[in-house]
Amino acid sequence: MYEMLLYLDGGNMINFKINGKDVVAQKGETILQVARKEGIYIPTMCYLEKTTPIGSCRLCVVEVEGYDAPILSCQSKPTDGIEVQTDSDELFKHRKNIMELYNVNHPLECGVCDKSGACDLQNKTLEFGLSCQSFTAKEQNRPKKDWGRIQYDESLCILCEKCVSTCNEAVGDDAIELHFGGYSSSIVPKGSETLDCTYCGECISVCPVGALISKDFKYTANAWELQKIPASCSHCSAGCEISYEVKHTSTEDQTQKIYRVTNDYEENTVCGAGRFGFDFGNSETKGDFSEAVEKLRNAKSIVFNSNITNEEAKILSEVSKKTGAKLVNREALNFQNFLKAFAVNAGESLYNGTLEDVADSNQVVVIGTKISTDNPAVRYALTQAFKRNRAFISYLHPVYDSLLQNTIRQFINYEVGTEEGVVALLVDTILENSELDLDIGYLSGETNVGEEELEQIAKISKRATKKTLVVGADLIAHPKAENIAKFLGLVQRTALWKVLIVPPETNSLGVAEICELSDEAVSPSVGYNMKADFVISALGGDFSVPALNQQEGTFVNLNREVVKTHVAVPFEGRNLNELANKVLGSDVENTIDYTKELFGTHFDDLEIFHLETEITSPKAEVSEVEDLPTFDGTLIYLSNPHLQFSPFTEKAISSEAPLLGSEQFAVAGKLSDGDEVEFEILGEKFRRKFQIDRNLRGVIALNPIFDMGLSAYSLSSNYRFQKAKIEKVK
């Protein structure tokens, strides 16, 4: 019935017509992609831009002159000179018949279905004028399935497979699949009776009907009641574009409440923290305003973290200039110093890689980060690189990341603390005609990185055309971070590799660009969402301020883009700008009035804005790699689970925080599964339940810090591998 139109033209540009309009396709583009680019509507039900075309719905068929049967526009690439028709009477009839099939015995639950008002099936049923059904089929018993945060209703499922392709190709969990059974076909957990995934909720987002829904959102609101507030996710440096969907709390309480988070699933993929961790607004209005002003005015240090907007960072800088107080943010200072050292050899002041570069690569090397939990957006880009381009992905880290098992091709397990040596070996490997003077034997022996492993990277590099090096937080906070950064700068200098240095916190890059930072705090100190002598915070403390979902402002994401966020829910108290006005003797009405000073345009007029990298005179300056450290005994890696990033996600999402250790760790510490243990790291005391994780290798345990309140930010600014003495609680 359907014919596939194959791409046969040898050129890069193809000229053809759609509905009589002259259009041009680039090599590799499908008819549907060209039509969308030209604003020509072709209906679809199963198609997603970010995954391989599925071709199950058959709504996207078009007519091509000279062909007897319609073709699938989602999979067919045009040839030069063809004429395509997208909206004939025959096509309308064909699509109407398909919609009848979709509606066979589909439950008429629109009045209570969470998808009603935003349902593709509902919309296209109206679009093609279906007012009655001409045939039916014997109904099956289709019980609802409880998958934790997600509920699956087989009776509503139209088997479009969007959820399956998204989970596999965009996320990388590969947790669900289509169970074939004719009219009894359904979506099922893959290889298990229960759903084993990271609960990103992207399957909910792409589902065109109400088959996959959030259990927390179920029956709470109708789509048409909710107001969409555009925002940027504040949980990590990806700064993903999201919408907070809000309405009043109840008929008696008109206070705005966030009911859910949605995203443009065609363009981006949001992690579970971004989707479900939205309820972190501050409802407290604690503290005396006059006292807070005086504390800020008299502070010798202002201690803060990078979970703030650029405008707030600018305000703190202005207060610092006025009062002489030091600005202390160790994590952002580490990042700032790392970028300065990187620029020495890179020839540019900033790294040049992006998420899009990662996704488009056919070779990626990831080093110094447990990236799937540090920054899920990078993980999703790695998944796309592997699925689209069969990218060869090398992952270098002391901790095996089981969430990457479907994408990485090479795991190099180096010794803890030896990152300087590992980076030196890696850079020497991927630089063509390297002139680095390294003791390869010593470095290979101390780091546990074999020459044959590096040779494999070099071999792939010679034939790879798009290559990206991803650098993470372990290197940025390393004691030898400056020399590590200089080595990495040599890679970007070659212009053969893109380098993506992942900022550790939400707005690390923005803070590093705006603020003049110091290292150590002195008293009297004021903390802004940090521990200090006097604490101004959205997480308790001496004086309350709004959280980031209660503010307007901007962040700089890992793509070096300035992105905006808006107020989703109100805050009844005062904010940093009002405190600063009293200290500065100014009358700046809104925090976002600082946006123009930062970026040259008013907040409301700000569109896509990239931080410009400055061209520098590159050197070839690196220090000799001397004695590498040795970490013996029981080692703990500060690593949060996949739904948690900070005290703000902990406030919004309830989850356990066990100490996860390898079997070797359990033997070394004489521990059993379920033991209560105590230990101390960097002056912070922990009490955890110990659990054995058989995916871990080496004498290493993973310790979360998201539940440590304001101390979490202090802990995360250090090198994340730490020695610790583990004691069982008797």
Side-chain angles (χ1 to χ4, degrees):
M1 179 178 179
Y2 304 98
E3 295 185 28
M4 180 68 69
L5 186 63
L6 299 177
Y7 172 80
L8 299 173
D9 190 271
N12 288 325
M13 308 299 288
I14 304 97
N15 298 289
F16 67 108
K17 293 180 183 290
I18 300 181
N19 299 342
K21 179 181 179 180
D22 290 324
V23 296
V24 179
Q26 293 184 0
K27 183 178 179 179
E29 285 186 322
T30 63
I31 293 172
L32 178 60
Q33 287 173 321
V34 176
R36 287 189 167 191
K37 187 170 62 177
E38 295 290 336
I40 299 170
Y41 174 65
I42 299 175
T44 64
M45 187 71 78
C46 70
Y47 182 74
L48 280 172
E49 288 279 357
K50 64 187 179 186
T51 64
T52 304
I54 302 163
S56 68
C57 75
R58 299 312 203 236
L59 278 176
C60 75
V61 292
V62 295
E63 296 171 345
V64 177
E65 187 175 319
Y67 282 72
D68 295 333
I71 66 168
L72 294 171
S73 66
C74 70
Q75 295 182 347
S76 300
K77 300 180 177 74
T79 56
D80 209 55
I82 65 168
E83 296 190 15
V84 177
Q85 187 67 35
T86 68
D87 57 0
S88 68
D89 291 341
E90 279 300 311
L91 287 173
F92 185 88
K93 180 179 178 182
H94 166 83
R95 290 164 179 160
K96 184 173 182 178
N97 288 338
I98 288 175
M99 291 310 302
E100 282 201 29
L101 290 171
Y102 269 133
N103 280 286
V104 170
N105 290 0
H106 191 87
L108 299 176
E109 296 178 356
C110 297
V112 294
C113 179
D114 284 336
K115 200 72 176 184
S116 184
C119 172
D120 280 358
L121 186 70
Q122 193 179 64
N123 292 340
K124 287 184 174 62
T125 296
L126 295 172
E127 178 183 342
F128 293 104
L130 268 70
S131 58
C132 61
Q133 183 66 286
S134 57
F135 53 90
T136 187
K138 185 178 180 181
E139 189 53 273
Q140 308 288 317
N141 179 29
R142 303 179 189 272
K144 293 180 177 66
K145 305 294 176 59
D146 185 342
W147 291 346
R149 293 182 175 275
I150 300 166
Q151 179 180 293
Y152 174 57
D153 188 341
E154 284 186 38
S155 65
L156 295 174
C157 183
I158 60 173
L159 302 175
C160 68
E161 297 182 65
K162 276 185 174 182
C163 56
V164 175
S165 61
T166 295
C167 187
N168 183 16
E169 296 182 30
V171 176
D173 281 359
D174 198 18
I176 53 178
E177 63 184 348
L178 177 63
H179 171 70
F180 293 97
Y183 191 56
S184 299
S185 298
S186 65
I187 305 299
V188 297
K190 190 172 185 177
S192 174
E193 292 296 319
T194 58
L195 186 63
D196 182 15
C197 72
T198 57
Y199 289 100
C200 66
E202 197 65 16
C203 57
I204 297 171
S205 183
V206 302
C207 182
V209 291
L212 287 162
I213 62 170
S214 164
K215 283 174 59 181
D216 291 338
F217 177 73
K218 183 180 178 182
Y219 300 149
T220 60
N222 295 305
W224 59 85
E225 297 177 295
L226 297 169
Q227 178 188 2
K228 286 181 178 285
I229 307 295
S232 298
C233 180
S234 63
H235 295 322
C236 82
S237 60
C240 294
E241 184 179 333
I242 60 173
S243 291
Y244 293 115
E245 299 204 356
V246 306
K247 73 165 188 172
H248 55 271
T249 302
S250 67
T251 54
E252 296 179 351
D253 183 357
Q254 294 298 304
T255 304
Q256 292 288 89
K257 174 185 174 182
I258 302 172
Y259 280 75
R260 66 178 177 184
V261 162
T262 55
N263 63 308
D264 182 354
Y265 54 80
E266 289 281 8
E267 297 295 327
N268 62 18
T269 302
V270 174
C271 75
R275 190 175 309 282
F276 301 115
F278 54 79
D279 192 18
F280 58 87
N282 187 14
S283 59
E284 287 190 347
T285 54
K286 179 182 177 182
D288 180 82
F289 181 75
S290 298
E291 180 188 12
V293 170
E294 284 305 305
K295 294 291 186 181
L296 191 59
R297 180 180 285 128
N298 296 320
K300 290 186 177 180
S301 297
I302 301 172
V303 188
F304 67 107
N305 60 58
S306 299
N307 200 36
I308 64 172
T309 64
N310 292 311
E311 290 74 14
E312 289 175 290
K314 179 64 175 174
I315 289 170
L316 293 177
S317 290
E318 294 301 313
V319 171
S320 172
K321 291 175 186 176
K322 176 76 173 181
T323 67
K326 293 182 177 181
L327 292 183
V328 180
N329 182 331
R330 287 192 60 203
E331 168 269 318
L333 179 61
N334 289 340
F335 192 59
Q336 190 178 69
N337 290 336
F338 196 86
L339 291 176
K340 287 177 181 177
F342 177 80
V344 168
N345 290 333
E348 298 176 85
S349 60
L350 293 173
Y351 57 87
N352 60 4
T354 65
L355 288 173
E356 290 70 29
D357 288 322
V358 175
D360 290 340
S361 294
N362 45 31
Q363 182 180 17
V364 186
V365 175
V366 183
I367 182 169
T369 171
K370 192 169 180 287
I371 198 62
S372 60
T373 49
D374 283 353
N375 200 298
V378 179
R379 179 203 171 196
Y380 302 154
L382 291 170
T383 300
Q384 291 173 9
F386 178 72
K387 296 294 183 178
R388 292 177 187 171
N389 314 320
R390 307 308 296 173
F392 190 94
I393 300 173
S394 302
Y395 171 72
L396 287 70
H397 202 258
V399 178
Y400 178 72
D401 192 338
S402 59
L403 291 180
L404 293 179
Q405 62 185 338
N406 296 325
T407 55
I408 61 173
R409 304 280 291 278
Q410 181 188 35
F411 171 51
I412 299 178
N413 178 212
Y414 61 77
E415 292 293 328
V416 171
T418 66
E419 284 86 350
E420 183 187 19
V422 177
V423 168
L425 288 170
L426 176 65
V427 172
D428 186 60
T429 297
I430 62 181
L431 287 181
E432 294 186 5
N433 304 314
S434 170
E435 296 181 358
L436 294 175
D437 183 17
L438 303 177
D439 186 343
I440 302 296
Y442 168 74
L443 294 179
S444 182
E446 292 298 306
T447 61
N448 195 36
V449 176
E451 292 183 39
E452 67 284 353
E453 295 175 309
L454 296 171
E455 286 171 2
Q456 190 171 16
I457 292 176
K459 182 179 178 181
I460 299 297
S461 179
K462 287 179 180 178
R463 65 173 185 263
T465 56
K466 294 183 178 180
K467 300 174 281 192
T468 305
L469 174 61
V470 178
V471 176
D474 296 357
L475 305 188
I476 296 166
H478 194 278
K480 294 296 185 71
E482 181 179 350
N483 205 37
I484 289 171
K486 288 180 179 179
F487 273 114
L488 295 169
L490 295 172
V491 178
Q492 181 162 308
R493 179 186 179 186
T494 67
L496 298 175
W497 285 73
K498 296 285 189 179
V499 178
L500 174 60
I501 304 174
V502 181
E505 299 287 352
T506 303
N507 198 25
S508 300
L509 181 52
V511 172
E513 289 290 302
I514 293 167
C515 297
E516 184 176 333
L517 299 169
S518 299
D519 193 3
E520 296 296 333
V522 293
S523 293
S525 61
V526 167
Y528 191 59
N529 287 322
M530 288 288 284
K531 281 187 174 181
D533 298 329
F534 185 86
V535 177
I536 300 171
S537 179
L539 290 166
D542 300 297
F543 187 80
S544 299
V545 288
L548 283 174
N549 59 3
Q550 298 170 303
Q551 296 187 56
E552 281 188 311
T554 60
F555 312 128
V556 182
N557 67 16
L558 80 173
N559 278 354
R560 309 182 309 281
E561 299 168 333
V562 178
V563 295
K564 298 199 292 187
T565 194
H566 293 83
V567 175
V569 287
F571 178 70
E572 301 301 329
R574 314 295 284 270
N575 60 36
L576 179 63
N577 181 54
E578 293 174 285
L579 292 170
N581 277 341
K582 294 295 184 181
V583 175
L584 299 172
S586 59
D587 57 355
V588 178
E589 185 175 355
N590 300 301
T591 301
I592 55 172
D593 291 340
Y594 285 95
T595 306
K596 185 174 183 181
E597 189 174 343
L598 287 167
F599 306 115
T601 185
H602 292 291
F603 178 82
D604 291 338
D605 299 328
L606 184 67
E607 296 182 355
I608 297 175
F609 185 96
H610 288 80
L611 287 192
E612 294 296 331
T613 181
E614 298 177 8
I615 304 301
T616 61
S617 298
K619 303 177 183 179
E621 178 186 302
V622 291
S623 300
E624 183 180 348
V625 180
E626 298 177 345
D627 293 342
L628 295 176
T630 301
F631 280 67
D632 297 320
T634 50
L635 295 177
I636 288 180
Y637 184 61
L638 303 180
S639 173
N640 286 320
H642 61 263
L643 285 180
Q644 297 289 357
F645 286 90
S646 71
F648 287 100
T649 53
E650 196 264 341
K651 182 177 180 181
I653 305 173
S654 175
S655 63
E656 293 183 0
L659 176 68
L660 298 176
S662 66
E663 292 177 310
Q664 299 99 309
F665 186 94
V667 172
K670 299 179 181 179
L671 301 174
S672 301
D673 209 39
D675 283 347
E676 291 283 334
V677 296
E678 291 181 337
F679 52 95
E680 184 174 318
I681 296 177
L682 299 169
E684 297 291 340
K685 294 183 179 180
F686 292 84
R687 182 166 180 161
R688 300 284 193 213
K689 180 179 179 181
F690 177 73
Q691 292 181 8
I692 294 176
D693 184 341
R694 288 175 174 78
N695 288 317
L696 292 176
R697 307 171 189 177
V699 189
I700 288 178
L702 307 182
N703 181 51
I705 58 174
F706 69 91
D707 61 339
M708 293 297 292
L710 297 180
S711 298
Y713 293 107
S714 300
L715 288 163
S716 65
S717 66
N718 293 273
Y719 181 58
R720 295 194 296 184
F721 285 100
Q722 297 288 329
K723 296 179 182 179
K725 182 181 179 181
I726 310 296
E727 296 183 352
K728 282 197 288 188
V729 178
K730 298 179 180 179

